[in-house]
């Protein structure tokens, strides 16, 4: 079994994780006349945009004649032709007018802990998705974003570290508070507003566009996820 993660696209789609449970899965935009297996809200996505096919644990993708096209790892694919999918493949949808409107990341089960526990083993990171833009040196407590050093407060560092350890997984608010305010005598006294303010300050330092966060994703009523 494998998954796709929405890394870029409509704000309501970003961060969603879809399990590929069928032999053939159609990804597209829902209309009154048609409901795809995986629904995206991006207007640049066709109602039947791509199909992901699984056979004996091997995954392939094909464009179903979409209006705005598809790229696989930045290469435009030809409609109707099958292409192999590998772990961490990038699937861009809606590319007719430039960069992809929606970006999906393909993940294979054996290479990710998306459904597993949140905790890491002794001395190990539990990173479940590729966070190529971020490097954390725990020994030196240093953070580099897009190759540049970023100065963080202690709480900002603790928050980013925790989200990084669980990248690709939605971290619940209570879990984040316990991890970041571990030295508090009463973590339950830390309000949601305090957490949201900390996330806002961190976003100002790591997001390319703070008005449209694409790295720390909010999951309403649940928590946050690093992608």
């Amino acid at each position: 079994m494998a998954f796709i993660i929405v890394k870029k696209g409509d704000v309501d789609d970003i961060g969603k994780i879809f399990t590929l449970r069928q032999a053939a899965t159609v990804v597209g935009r829902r209309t009154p006349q048609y409901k795809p297996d995986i629904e995206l809200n991006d207007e640049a996505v066709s109602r039947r945009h791509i199909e992901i096919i699984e056979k004996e644990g091997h995954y392939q993708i094909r464009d179903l004649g979409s209006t705005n096209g598809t790229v696989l790892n930045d290469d435009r694919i030809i409609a109707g032709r099958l292409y192999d999918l590998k772990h961490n493949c990038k699937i861009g949808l809606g590319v007719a007018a430039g960069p992809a409107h929606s970006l999906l990341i393909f993940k294979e089960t054996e290479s990710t802990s998306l459904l597993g526990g949140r905790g890491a083993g002794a001395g190990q990171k539990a990173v479940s998705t590729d966070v190529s833009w971020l490097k954390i040196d725990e020994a030196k407590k240093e953070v580099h974003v897009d190759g540049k050093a970023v100065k963080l407060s202690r709480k900002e560092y603790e928050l980013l570290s925790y989200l990084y350890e669980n990248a690709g997984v939605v971290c619940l608010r209570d879990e984040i508070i316990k991890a970041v305010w571990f030295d508090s005598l009463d973590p339950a006294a830390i309000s949601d507003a305090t957490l949201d303010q900390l996330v806002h300050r961190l976003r100002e330092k790591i997001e390319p566009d703070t008005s449209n966060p694409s790295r720390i994703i909010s999951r309403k009523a649940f928590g946050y996820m690093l992608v």
Side-chain angles (χ1 to χ4, degrees), residues 112-131:
T112 179
S113 58
L114 287 173
L115 296 185
R118 296 178 183 274
Q124 294 181 327
K125 285 283 188 183
V127 178
S128 59
T129 192
D130 180 28
V131 189

Side-chain angles (χ1 to χ4, degrees), residues 101-119:
H101 275 244
S102 289
L103 177 63
L104 314 178
I105 307 297
F106 173 79
K107 297 282 185 180
E108 292 185 274
T109 307
E110 61 269 21
S111 302
T112 179
S113 58
L114 287 173
L115 296 185
R118 296 178 183 274

